Amino acid sequence: MAKKTLKAHTRVMKGLRPGESVRVLISDARLQVRLKQLAKEIRRDFPNEPLHLIGVLKGSVFFLTDLARDLGGEVSFDFLSVSSYGQGTDSTGEVKLIKDLDVSIEGRTVIVVEDILDTGLTLKYLLRFFEEKKPKDVRVVVLLDKVERRIADVRADYVGFEIPNEFVVGYGLDFDERYRNLPDVCTLQFAPKGKSKSA
Ligand code: PRP
């Protein structure tokens, strides 16, 4: 993959709270182009194979549904939900299963679909969890990879974009459950205290 430095640019958006601003890091158009390339890479590796996509809620929802349509061929999907203990931007590394898979993955070719790979602690937990269920193969596709934040020794097989260590929202990613519905991946900035009238 060609590596480019991603730079955010400002775009005026409605619905922002006072004191918060967003800048587009990866536009909707760029996302869709890259998704088509990712789908091609995956289909090159598994040309005729039924693919079972597993989305990790909630951030991966838009990524999974767009990618599923780009993949073509036989595709099924399932979702699970995990939570990492510790709030805010840092986690303690403990991961807890909140919602299990609906169907067995034994003997299936599984593509784990994640919106973002950060410390890697969630993915490390998930890979161990999936391996116990005896799938035929497990591959990982992530839209965003914050390489410099990695703690666990894990990597994704397919990466949409490597991004800098900035707080990102949009296209499924949230801040306090907000901004998931932005069409672009954006960085989120906060005004210094005293410069906004927000609560
Ligand atoms: C995000 C993302 C991964 C995890 C990656 O989920 O979807 O599951 O964090 O972080 P890590 O590499 O440091 O483990 P989040 O907890 O934000 O939940 P959400 O998808 O519901 O927003």
Side-chain angles (χ1 to χ4, degrees):
M1 186 186 81
K3 288 182 185 172
K4 283 185 191 168
T5 307
L6 292 167
K7 278 192 174 174
H9 64 275
T10 307
R11 180 183 286 180
V12 177
M13 293 204 184
K14 290 180 180 169
L16 292 170
R17 290 200 183 172
E20 295 176 3
S21 63
V22 294
R23 293 199 287 167
V24 177
L25 183 65
I26 309 167
S27 70
D28 180 25
R30 280 186 75 188
L31 287 169
Q32 295 309 323
V33 168
R34 185 70 188 122
L35 256 65
K36 285 179 175 49
Q37 293 168 346
L38 285 173
K40 267 191 188 159
E41 287 177 39
I42 295 169
R43 270 298 176 209
R44 202 177 300 140
D45 293 343
F46 302 100
N48 304 308
E49 196 115 354
L51 298 175
H52 190 60
L53 308 187
I54 297 182
V56 186
L57 294 170
K58 304 170 194 163
S60 68
V61 168
F62 297 128
F63 180 36
L64 183 143
T65 54
D66 282 345
L67 186 68
R69 285 176 284 190
D70 286 337
L71 279 168
E74 191 175 324
V75 170
S76 54
F77 44 81
D78 201 350
F79 295 92
L80 57 61
S81 181
V82 291
S83 82
S84 44
Y85 289 106
Q87 297 294 311
T89 52
D90 289 308
S91 93
T92 59
E94 284 181 71
V95 179
K96 185 181 168 194
L97 188 69
I98 303 291
K99 181 213 167 292
D100 204 344
L101 298 171
D102 288 342
V103 293
S104 167
I105 59 169
E106 190 171 340
R108 298 178 112 156
T109 301
V110 166
I111 310 285
V112 183
V113 183
E114 268 281 32
D115 51 336
I116 188 163
L117 182 52
D118 192 343
T119 63
L121 294 165
T122 305
L123 185 58
K124 188 176 178 184
Y125 167 88
L126 288 174
L127 289 173
R128 214 179 290 144
F129 176 79
F130 293 137
E131 282 307 333
E132 284 170 6
K133 298 179 182 302
K134 301 188 175 22
K136 181 178 172 191
D137 206 341
V138 176
R139 299 288 171 96
V140 178
V141 59
V142 300
L143 180 65
L144 308 173
D145 190 355
K146 266 189 191 176
V147 184
E148 63 187 276
R149 286 264 305 163
R150 197 79 80 254
I151 294 172
D153 184 22
V154 288
R155 52 174 286 281
D157 300 288
Y158 312 96
V159 175
F161 301 88
E162 285 185 12
I163 61 166
N165 185 18
E166 291 187 58
F167 199 92
V168 282
V169 295
Y171 196 64
L173 293 126
D174 74 310
F175 169 62
D176 203 14
E177 295 301 325
R178 294 180 286 116
Y179 299 120
R180 291 194 197 273
N181 61 329
L182 294 178
D184 315 288
V185 172
C186 301
T187 60
L188 179 62
Q189 287 83 32
F190 302 92
K193 276 193 176 161
K195 293 223 169 183
S196 92
K197 289 176 183 169
S198 62

